[in-house]
Amino acid sequence: VAKKRSDYQTPDFLISHVDMVFHLDVENTRVITTSQITRNGQHDRPLVLDGESIKLISLTLNEDPIHDYTVNDEQLSIQTSANTFTLCVETEINPRENKTLEGLYFSAGAYCTQCEAEGFRKITYFLDRPDVLAKYDVTIFADKARYPHLLSNGNQIGKGQLDDGRHWVKWQDPFNKPSYLFALVAGDFDLLSDHFITQSGRNVVLELYVDKGALDKGHHAIASLKKAMAWDEKVFGLEYDLDIYMVVAVDFFNMGAMENKGLNVFNSKFVLADAQSATDDDFFNIEAVIGHEYFHNWTGNRVTCRDWFQLSLKEGLTVFRDQQFSADMSSPVFNRIKNVQIIREHQFAEDASAMAHPIRPEEVIEMNNFYTVTVYDKGAEVIRMMHTLLGADGFRKGIDLYFERFDGQAVTCDDFVQAMQDATHVDLSHFRLWYSQSGTPKVTVTDTFEQSSGRYTLTITQSTPPTADQAQKGALHIPFKFELLDQQGAIIYDDSVPELKAKMVELTQAKHEISVSGLSEKPTPSLLLNFSAPVKVEYPYSHQQLSHIILHSSDEFSRWDASQSLYSRCIHSLATTPDSPDEELFDSMLVAVSGMFDLADSNPALAAAMLSVPSFETLSQQVDEIHVEALYHAQRSIRNLMATSLSEKWLALYNKQIIGSYQYNADDVDKRRLRNLSLSYLVQGDAPQASKLLSAQFASADNMTDSLGVLKAAQYGPVAQFDNLMVQFEERWRRDPLVLDKWFALHANMERSDILARLPLLLSHEKFSLDNPNRVRSVLGSFAFYNVLGFHAIDGSGYRFLADYILKLNSVNPQVAARIITPLTQWQKFDDTRQELMRYQLARIADCKTLSKDLIEKVSKSLNYK
Ligand code: ARG
Ligand code: ZN
């Protein structure tokens, strides 16, 4: 059954203090939870606690056994007249059997927990909701030899040894927290220690726990953590609040990482890195995720969510903060492009699907299904728009007031916006519609120029098409940044036009008009500078205008964006009329591309991004109907045209990137990116040197970015050479699962006719396991999300293959199953044949008698959509 946002009620009881004792055992862990509970207000309703997949051993109230209770699969209900009391619950759990990786689980020889969103109820019966905040004391007992490190939130306040080889450690967290921030870890790790002095002079101990032998791979994560701590002090004045900050890396993890108070648990993929085994992207992601979880300490932990419908309160805001952090640490334009690509490739797709929802959802069956690109990434765009509307100083004032008002509380998205508004006196009442309205707004721009008067008029209209969840849409408050360029490429200033002066118009109605007079020629509008709102823009650009923006816009993002529009135009044109290619269009594209090479020295990050063509996923969101083969091959052909027509330039660009021994720094990252991009064009264009370059770079590479760059480029070349390189790579890296994941993904993405015969080989690889989410994502996720021709094979074999594994995963790890089913649920834009094949597999999944809530929600929504 679905829960509705509007059904929120304050908790019937509150918990002020929790004392937990864990006796860890792989199959029979005992948990004794003693809570101080108070009735909240005057009522005689029973105390209803959440609990799932746990065994109740005993129950006392003020130390007396309780007889008056009922228990079912989801809840324990206790009838009591007491208003203030001590409740003691003893439960038994089986961590080894817990393959859902939610609650307390045992994997790879260690215990760990994941409680967000509703995993704490798999540990004990509790008021498992984020608006019940309590202080926790936690004592852990376990075998000392096998589990020398026993960790929980807060500060260690005691430890001891028993005669039977067990030991214990007691932790105390001085801060109130909701149950989803609880964490426990027990295992045998290597420990990397460091420290950070806060701006007020306090010493914070930093501890990073990694698998035995992986210590050398922890340095980048620790360095990133220190950068994040310093950045949050500098930019937001926010200082860390405990004396110790621990991060544990584990191999089995459903998501990226988790911000548990004082004890973050991370997917090892976002912690471990060295030059040999990690790519530049890995280094980047580690810094970003370490930052993200650290920033949650204020935006999420100190101020948390009242209920799960408010998830974007902490996630949208924290993603925005981590994006700003990453931009400050590296290239702002490259970061902005990355953020926007996620929106255009995945968030727009979600809006167009049966799972469409506002950043603050209205209705949820399984909360885990709402950790989405909409809540996270569109949520971050909504925060960014406020930043744009209020300015950096206003935004900071708002954040300060937010913490002043709400520190230590569980609040709502409305509370956040109200604080921003009150601190700045900027009226955000209309802006709030972004929280309740789903869908991708479309901003349509047209213009006229009157030669005689020199009057230029822009007409801007907005509309949001209906979505699966919501038919009626209103006009949004959109900060729409733009500029006008004259024919020399200079920006047209006219102080009498306020929108021109501000380089922004705040759209609030369906239609706006902006006029400038006294121009001698028709200008070129450069629209949605820096992607100032998560919308689609339509304006009938000529390709000359796009080239003009590529050269002259003052906004680097828009220069890139124009390059992508130019490629898109070429690709769509070729896809629709493959037999009569628009040579003039292609020629002007090639001229523009040719010019981009000149940027390689002065702005290599921008050059690399501009020289890359839009992904199939981005292109798919630009059309109403996806013609799979036509679109795919058109994209290939345009790349091919760029490769062959400019082969000398690619070779020169490749040879120009001289890089010393591996270092992760912005300059070298840019050079490697340009070098590997050039390599892939050289291979695709079948340049005479290509094969030699591949082998030479493969042999000499001292880092994973360049090794992987070879494999990615080799995908465009002869299969024999690719296969040969892949074999060598596997031999070298077989023992490193994180590296092997890259190999798995490359295989699963390969364009080859026998892909369906090869996938089972990957799945039977000795290192593959359906229990491990990273492996599943590498093979099945990569295939479903990115192997366009394989997944969408017209005989339905790709869909059937995915469905088979979804059904297997359903009983192992429903959360992961519900993630990788996404491409199958997004059938709406495909041709009739494919739609039918996709729906057939969805119906097959729906037939399963033991389907998890996670899959029921996504499959039924998708099948019921028009
Ligand atoms: N709060 C975590 C983060 O954004 C993610 C937790 C995901 N949990 C889940 N059940 N899907 O860093
Ligand atoms: Zn987060």
Side-chain angles (χ1 to χ4, degrees), residues 483 485-491 524-526 542-564 566 588-600 602-603 606 610:
E483 65 190 5
L485 303 174
D486 70 16
Q487 275 174 22
Q488 279 65 51
I491 302 175
T524 294
S526 177
S542 67
H543 51 76
Q544 289 85 351
Q545 284 181 306
L546 289 173
S547 302
H548 195 62
I549 295 173
I550 291 173
L551 286 174
H552 301 297
S553 177
S554 69
D555 179 56
E556 292 187 342
F557 171 84
S558 292
R559 298 177 65 188
W560 171 79
D561 205 20
S563 75
Q564 301 302 294
L566 191 52
S588 72
M589 181 272 287
L590 288 172
V591 171
V593 173
S594 201
M596 293 171 198
F597 284 85
D598 301 338
L599 260 181
S602 58
N603 197 339
L606 183 60
M610 291 217 291

Side-chain angles (χ1 to χ4, degrees), residues 751-770:
E751 180 200 324
R752 60 204 299 168
S753 52
D754 62 346
I755 183 72
L756 260 300
R758 297 182 70 97
L759 288 177
L761 300 178
L762 294 180
L763 296 170
S764 58
H765 190 281
E766 55 166 342
K767 291 293 154 89
F768 184 86
S769 155
L770 218 49

Side-chain angles (χ1 to χ4, degrees), residues 799-801 803-804 807 839-848 863:
Y799 307 144
R800 184 178 353 109
F801 181 83
D804 288 347
L807 286 167
R839 294 174 57 96
Y840 179 79
Q841 294 304 329
L842 288 168
R844 227 185 105 213
I845 295 171
D847 270 347
C848 169
L863 280 173

